[in-house]
Amino acid sequence: MFHVFNNQNERREYGGSAFIELQYCKMKTGTPEKTIVSVDSINHWQDDSLYIHMDDIDDFLKYYSGIFENGLYNNLKRGKIDPFGINYYTPEQVLEILSAVEAEKPVDHALLTDWLKKASLYNGVYILGI
């Protein structure tokens, strides 16, 4: 379900741009939330991101929507995963997400677990919708 690509050409050859992207938030700690979730602040298609192809989105939501809860949207409201928008999770939320993934062990959890452990180096994570 989760994909890692060595470069963006590899991603395009696999499935074009039909992906949800799980991306590290590389903004400094203390950056205002409004800036963090601003469309202008997002740089899509990072090589260290995880990708979910559109064919796997329903499965992702089935297994992970209860784990990735209360993401911050671009409109500064929180809620379930928006597969078409910006979802931001703070470093504290990432720790809770990691604990839940390790406890529940949903489908394809190993790659996500390793990726989430690296998130401690950053200011949280995004789920960027299609």
Side-chain angles (χ1 to χ4, degrees), residues 12-54:
R12 283 189 286 277
E13 288 173 10
Y14 181 89
S17 61
F19 292 94
I20 286 179
E21 179 179 4
L22 279 71
Q23 183 184 105
Y24 298 123
C25 177
K26 297 177 180 173
M27 294 182 207
K28 293 179 182 178
T29 302
T31 300
E33 288 183 332
K34 186 174 183 175
T35 302
I36 288 173
V37 295
S38 168
V39 173
D40 294 334
S41 297
I42 305 296
N43 295 310
H44 293 274
W45 315 122
Q46 298 296 305
D47 289 340
D48 58 357
S49 292
L50 286 183
Y51 294 92
I52 303 159
H53 191 265
M54 65 180 269

Side-chain angles (χ1 to χ4, degrees), residues 28-108:
K28 293 179 182 178
T29 302
T31 300
E33 288 183 332
K34 186 174 183 175
T35 302
I36 288 173
V37 295
S38 168
V39 173
D40 294 334
S41 297
I42 305 296
N43 295 310
H44 293 274
W45 315 122
Q46 298 296 305
D47 289 340
D48 58 357
S49 292
L50 286 183
Y51 294 92
I52 303 159
H53 191 265
M54 65 180 269
D55 294 342
D56 296 320
I57 291 173
D58 288 342
D59 283 340
F60 172 70
L61 294 174
K62 177 181 174 182
Y63 294 108
Y64 289 94
S65 64
I67 294 173
F68 284 90
E69 295 184 316
N70 295 315
L72 183 66
Y73 305 144
N74 176 259
N75 65 4
L76 300 180
K77 294 183 180 182
R78 291 188 175 274
K80 296 180 180 183
I81 297 171
D82 177 358
F84 301 102
I86 296 169
N87 306 263
Y88 168 71
Y89 302 88
T90 66
E92 294 78 20
Q93 287 176 292
V94 172
L95 291 175
E96 293 170 7
I97 291 165
L98 177 59
S99 291
V101 170
E102 290 178 327
E104 295 178 28
K105 297 186 183 346
V107 171
D108 208 11

